[in-house]
Amino acid sequence: MNRLQTWVRSSWSVPAISGLLILLSFGVERLDAGAWNSVVGPQWWIDAGVHAHGSGHAFTLANLFMLAAAVVAGYGIVVKAVRALSVKVIGIDLLVSIAAIGAILIGNFWEAAAVTFLFAIGHALEAATLNKTRSALSELVAVAPDSAVVMRDGEQVEVPAHLVRMGEIVLVKNGAKVPVDGQVVSGTGAIDEASITGESIPVEKAKSDQVFAGTVSRGGFLQVLATGIGADTTLARIIHRVEEAQDAKAKTQAFIDRFSKWYTPAVIVLALATWFITQDVVLALTLLVIGCPGALVISIPVAIVAGIGRAARNGILIKGGEYLETSAKISAVAVDKTGTLTEGRPQLTDVVVLSAELDRTEVLRWAAAAEAGSEHPLAKPILDSAREAGVAPQGIPGHVTPVPGKGIVSDVGGQRVLIGNPPLLDQYGVRDDVGAGPAAQELAAAGRTPMIVAVDDRVIGVIAVADQIREDAPAMVARLHDAGVKKVVMLTGDTRLVAESIGAKTGIDEIHASLLPEDKLEAVAQLQREGHTVAMVGDGVNDAPALATADIGVAMGAAGSAVAVETADIALMGDNLMKLPESISLAKRTVSVMKQNIVIALATVVVLLAGVFAGGVTMSVGMLVHEGSVLVVILNAMRLMRNDQNSTAMSKELRKPRRQQVQEEAGATAVDA
């Protein structure tokens, strides 16, 4: 019974019942038995049948079935038209309603039934397609965990996922869904994060690593401290963002909506003028059907929903249709160096001693003592190295003064320690008479970030840190160019020599180094003044002004950042650089489909209108062709749901372990030999 009720409430029940009644009408008419064709109904229906067919045929049972088919299919259409009129909106439903009612009044029951039946099929098809294109959202909802195993009073207790409390220990066993966002406190395991990042390869998790609700354990056993539950999980935020994005209108869609408000009344005026001039009611009613802009109205939203859904399935969150359209126009991409082109995990590489009285350990001790109170990302590798060398600082400096673009000044035990570049020494009147400048330049030329260390007024050495270039960074730059991006620009606060070294290895087109946050903003603005549509990729902290100024702000590795998921125009959930060119390529494909759909819709209307005035296109034929154009538009948009094979292959190749790539290359060399 429930299955029957579900079917009756579905969008396909109306066209199915209407179609059955049309078949019954044809069947009864074919039988042509006297008992079946007895006259039914009041006299005015009989007269209508006579006037319609120009003969003495009475209103038959076949006509009654056809009328019933028109009423079943047309009732909902008329109701929608009346509701729209009540709020002063003239829509497509009104055109079809007038045409169907007019056809019935002149006794043309077949045309009325055909028009309403085909229109109902079109509505059902549109609803089914939008549900299909929203499948990415449905899949995200489906991966939401139902239950969780938590530790309460020393025992394992299974509870509904939404009843897990913040700070509880959750147990994640092999094959189970992770029910919360949290931090691993014990155990190891492999987690499939495809639902969040779009990456199918499981990620190894150990103590202190982060896990996300909706991901699946593929091996191992983890104890997880719950830090995000219910609506505060990354999965919940993604679902919310995708839902909003798929409903957000693009500029083109807003234009089509405004166009339809004028176009639909114009079709009614055209039909009235045609009837007034020709006195041909059927021609006027046919024009109403032919002029329906159904394919035009659905052409944009179906493409947007499909494009955003495809992106979400691949771990790319696009804020809405407007941002999708803008992304298709991107001609320049500005990227931060640290964490984007590089891995974002710098390590101490060099300690150059420039004082005869000190050794390497002493220089490192002074540098670490000064950096102990610094928030700069480069402080960590210095402190880690000092800890390994056994000279980790005790406590923090008495006073730390950051000097933007130059370095820091710290008070360590009453002595002033400078760590930074030559301009910092100049600012504080420290003479470089031991060759620190040339040593720093040599290190920078090798792609390392040098920092001169001075205690009071004496330079004691130079330390250097380096960040490993991401393996896929050169391929990412190449793919951006393939996607139509004319210029890839590096914006970094690092020195020019370091930036140029990184740029040469990655294929960057233009380099801007030694930048402050406001300088990055100006660099983005300059690109815009040159006529570029600019995407900025950054970490959202010191890059915030540039991200806000750019036409599209892109956040990478956004799965761990609630702010990035909610605010970024494009949020790349994983840390895969290839998702950036993939998102731009997908945006271009989506906009291309939108334009194709508009052309198909308008061309169909023009051809049908020409056919009506030339003769030969009836009301039912017009509606059939019209719904055919709707189907073509939908199928065209559905192509977006397919994966970009080239992007997928490249992404998989770059995710291979280095050992596997070396083995494959060695095998290929052996074959060639």
Side-chain angles (χ1 to χ4, degrees):
M1 189 67 180
N2 288 337
R3 187 174 296 178
L4 178 62
Q5 290 176 341
T6 302
W7 181 81
V8 169
R9 291 170 183 166
S10 74
S11 56
W12 288 105
S13 60
V14 169
I17 296 171
S18 177
L20 179 61
L21 289 169
I22 290 174
L23 291 176
L24 284 173
S25 175
F26 285 139
V28 169
E29 190 171 30
R30 200 169 173 79
L31 287 173
D32 198 29
W36 288 87
N37 277 332
S38 59
V39 176
V40 294
Q43 185 63 36
W44 74 278
W45 282 113
I46 299 174
D47 294 339
V50 172
H51 291 308
H53 301 287
S55 65
H57 287 254
F59 184 75
T60 64
L61 187 60
N63 286 340
L64 181 62
F65 279 133
M66 198 65 79
L67 174 63
V71 171
V72 168
Y75 174 76
I77 300 170
V78 173
V79 169
K80 288 180 182 176
V82 171
R83 287 175 179 170
L85 277 176
S86 67
V87 291
K88 299 179 181 179
V89 174
I90 300 176
I92 304 171
D93 295 295
L94 182 61
L95 296 182
V96 178
S97 299
I98 295 173
I101 293 171
I104 291 172
L105 291 177
I106 64 173
N108 202 334
F109 306 120
W110 154 244
E111 294 285 4
V115 165
T116 52
F117 168 69
L118 289 170
F119 194 71
I121 285 181
H123 266 308
L125 192 60
E126 290 172 21
T129 304
L130 287 174
N131 287 337
K132 175 66 177 175
T133 53
R134 290 181 187 273
S135 60
L137 184 59
S138 303
E139 290 170 10
L140 286 172
V141 173
V143 301
D146 299 319
S147 61
V149 178
V150 299
M151 294 298 297
R152 289 182 179 174
D153 298 325
E155 296 184 359
Q156 297 184 26
V157 181
E158 186 170 349
V159 299
H162 67 276
L163 293 182
V164 176
R165 296 191 288 262
M166 194 77 79
E168 282 193 308
I169 298 298
V170 178
L171 307 182
V172 181
K173 303 175 182 180
N174 183 24
K177 290 180 181 177
V178 180
V180 296
D181 281 5
Q183 188 176 42
V184 177
V185 294
S186 178
T188 59
I191 300 294
D192 181 352
E193 297 184 335
S195 59
I196 302 295
T197 65
E199 301 293 342
S200 58
I201 299 177
V203 180
E204 294 294 330
K205 299 290 183 180
K207 186 176 180 180
S208 300
D209 287 338
Q210 192 173 19
V211 295
F212 306 106
T215 55
V216 181
S217 173
R218 298 302 183 196
F221 177 76
L222 299 174
Q223 295 185 41
V224 176
L225 177 68
T227 58
I229 58 176
D232 291 329
T233 63
T234 298
L235 178 64
R237 285 190 289 269
I238 292 173
I239 292 172
H240 174 67
R241 171 54 64 206
V242 173
E243 191 173 35
E244 282 189 337
Q246 289 188 331
D247 289 334
K249 290 185 177 181
K251 290 181 180 178
T252 304
Q253 185 181 349
F255 169 76
I256 293 297
D257 290 344
R258 292 194 302 270
F259 174 75
S260 297
K261 288 181 181 179
W262 292 97
Y263 173 82
T264 308
V267 171
I268 296 176
V269 172
L270 176 63
L272 288 173
T274 301
W275 172 73
F276 181 76
I277 295 170
T278 65
Q279 295 298 303
D280 189 338
V281 176
V282 175
L283 177 60
L285 294 177
T286 303
L287 283 175
L288 288 176
V289 172
I290 299 304
C292 287
L296 186 64
V297 170
I298 197 175
S299 61
I300 306 301
V302 72
I304 288 174
V305 170
I308 288 176
R310 173 75 272 166
R313 191 177 294 168
N314 288 357
I316 302 167
L317 295 189
I318 301 176
K319 202 170 185 178
E322 179 181 349
Y323 302 95
L324 190 69
E325 280 191 305
T326 303
S327 297
K329 302 174 185 175
I330 291 172
S331 58
V333 174
V335 296
D336 185 30
K337 177 181 72 68
T338 306
T340 304
L341 296 174
T342 62
E343 293 180 352
R345 294 188 294 273
Q347 295 179 337
L348 185 72
T349 58
D350 299 88
V351 177
V352 179
V353 181
L354 297 176
S355 172
E357 303 169 7
L358 303 175
D359 58 15
R360 181 184 186 279
T361 304
E362 281 298 303
V363 173
L364 181 58
R365 183 181 70 79
W366 279 109
E371 291 283 5
S374 172
E375 297 179 353
H376 197 279
L378 296 184
K380 186 177 185 302
I382 297 172
L383 292 170
D384 289 343
S385 295
R387 196 172 297 112
E388 291 174 5
V391 290
Q394 301 296 320
I396 59 174
H399 186 67
V400 179
T401 304
V403 183
K406 297 180 181 179
I408 64 168
V409 181
S410 297
D411 177 8
V412 178
Q415 291 183 277
R416 186 185 68 187
V417 181
L418 307 180
I419 300 183
N421 53 23
L424 180 68
L425 302 184
D426 294 339
Q427 180 175 332
Y428 284 85
V430 178
R431 291 180 57 191
D432 175 18
D433 51 9
V434 290
Q441 282 191 338
E442 186 177 342
L443 291 168
R448 299 162 190 170
T449 302
M451 291 168 279
I452 300 172
V453 183
V455 179
D456 290 328
D457 294 325
R458 183 168 58 103
V459 174
I460 64 171
V462 180
I463 60 174
V465 298
D467 196 358
Q468 189 72 23
I469 296 176
R470 286 176 182 257
E471 191 174 335
D472 51 356
M476 182 269 290
V477 175
R479 285 295 304 277
L480 283 174
H481 288 140
D482 292 342
V485 175
K486 297 177 182 177
K487 186 181 288 188
V488 182
V489 181
M490 181 200 299
L491 306 179
T492 179
D494 217 332
T495 63
R496 172 155 290 278
L497 285 174
V498 173
E500 286 178 347
S501 175
I502 301 293
K505 294 174 183 176
T506 55
I508 293 291
D509 300 307
E510 191 175 296
I511 296 168
H512 297 270
S514 302
L515 301 181
L516 300 175
E518 55 268 29
D519 298 326
K520 292 185 178 183
L521 182 154
E522 177 54 32
V524 169
Q526 179 58 37
L527 286 170
Q528 291 172 327
R529 286 193 292 269
E530 292 172 5
H532 289 289
T533 299
V534 183
M536 173 68 192
V537 188
D539 59 17
V541 183
N542 63 332
D543 298 324
L547 284 166
T549 302
D551 299 285
I552 293 292
V554 182
M556 278 195 60
S561 171
V563 175
V565 171
E566 293 296 331
T567 60
D569 300 328
I570 296 180
L572 309 179
M573 302 307 294
D575 213 25
N576 182 356
L577 276 180
M578 300 310 294
K579 295 294 182 182
L580 179 58
E582 181 183 339
S583 62
I584 295 175
S585 295
L586 180 60
K588 289 181 182 291
R589 286 171 54 208
T590 303
V591 170
S592 177
V593 166
M594 287 163 54
K595 291 176 180 177
Q596 293 165 15
N597 283 354
I598 291 172
V599 170
I600 292 169
L602 292 177
T604 301
V605 172
V606 170
V607 170
L608 285 177
L609 285 174
V612 169
F613 286 110
V617 177
T618 64
M619 203 184 306
S620 55
V621 170
M623 181 55 76
L624 180 62
V625 175
H626 170 268
E627 293 304 331
S629 68
V630 170
L631 179 60
V632 170
V633 160
I634 287 172
L635 292 175
N636 192 37
M638 292 293 285
R639 294 189 298 115
L640 293 168
M641 300 298 291
R642 299 201 306 260
N643 266 324
D644 183 347
Q645 298 300 326
N646 292 334
S647 174
T648 303
M650 175 68 77
S651 184
K652 287 182 178 178
E653 181 68 25
L654 289 169
R655 290 199 303 270
K656 286 182 181 178
R658 181 59 189 161
R659 182 182 301 173
Q660 182 180 345
Q661 293 183 29
V662 171
Q663 289 173 347
E664 290 178 0
E665 290 169 2
T669 303
V671 171
D672 291 339

